Amino acid sequence: GLEIWLAPDPEAQSGVLSFRAAGVDCEELGERLGDRGIALRAGLHCAPLAHATGGTEATGTVRVSFSAFNTGQEVERFLKTMRRLG
């Protein structure tokens, strides 16, 4: 039930992951994840043109960012939290 937006060219993909869950408002999902200690942004992210291009200008997305500073344990915690909320 997730829609995920990725860069069209895999070589250009960064650690930013934008997604939305079917039937769940992005702001609500963002709040639920935030309440569980997941750092993220929800909504339009001050990027209306990106949302117009992706077709998400009416709903926004949830955005998480991964970097070299994240541990494998943090990524696993995010995935487990997403599974529990789904």
Side-chain angles (χ1 to χ4, degrees):
L2 289 181
E3 289 181 272
I4 300 172
W5 281 263
L6 300 170
D9 175 4
E11 293 292 319
Q13 182 63 43
S14 67
V16 175
L17 178 67
S18 290
F19 63 94
R20 63 183 178 189
V24 181
D25 178 77
C26 290
E27 297 285 348
E28 178 185 335
L29 180 57
E31 187 172 326
R32 291 165 63 188
L33 288 166
D35 288 347
R36 289 161 177 81
I38 306 294
L40 56 88
R41 299 282 297 184
L44 297 178
H45 323 298
C46 300
L49 293 178
H51 286 282
T53 300
T56 58
E57 64 269 31
T59 62
T61 63
V62 175
R63 182 184 71 203
V64 294
S65 301
F66 299 97
S67 76
F69 298 104
N70 290 104
T71 65
Q73 185 179 23
E74 289 170 325
V75 175
E76 284 297 320
R77 187 168 149 263
F78 168 72
L79 294 172
K80 286 179 184 177
T81 302
M82 285 296 297
R83 285 187 201 106
R84 277 190 233 123
L85 292 177

